[in-house]
Amino acid sequence: LSKVSCVIAPSRWEAFGLVLVESLALGIPIIAANIPAFHEILESGKHGILISEKNPQKYAAAVLQGVSPPSPSLEKFSWEQCFTKYMAIFSDLKRSND
């Protein structure tokens, strides 16, 4: 992945989109489908190009236009963040069962 100049992800559906997070961490430009998982990771297109239509010409045009390398903070995807969120969920579940 570190050797590519751009990541193109024309997925119709993804549960999370790990390839985008990995690309962000490596500073690789991203062109992706505008699906919920990618929309959240790319923060509404702030860190990559989101394409709404299933149109290969739109992806090709985005590649030719050029994409700037992302420089986002990946704090929201850290293990500490995940652990904190899971612990909050488990605490809420425990309280609701007491």
Side-chain angles (χ1 to χ4, degrees), residues 5-91:
S5 56
C6 179
V7 168
I8 301 173
S11 300
R12 291 183 180 174
W13 183 88
E14 292 282 341
F16 177 62
L18 183 58
V19 70
L20 298 190
V21 174
E22 291 170 338
S23 300
L24 286 172
L26 293 170
I28 299 169
I30 300 167
I31 300 168
N34 191 6
I35 59 175
F38 292 173
H39 190 266
E40 181 179 350
I41 292 168
L42 295 179
E43 294 186 33
S44 304
K46 181 177 172 185
H47 303 301
I49 294 175
L50 291 169
I51 300 195
S52 296
E53 298 101 30
K54 304 295 181 218
N55 182 334
Q57 286 78 22
K58 296 268 185 182
Y59 286 89
V63 169
L64 293 174
Q65 168 192 333
V67 185
S68 300
S71 57
S73 167
L74 294 175
E75 287 178 14
K76 74 179 193 177
F77 300 111
S78 72
W79 283 115
E80 183 178 345
Q81 254 321 48
C82 291
F83 178 78
T84 301
K85 288 180 181 181
Y86 277 119
M87 289 306 295
I89 292 168
F90 293 143
S91 293

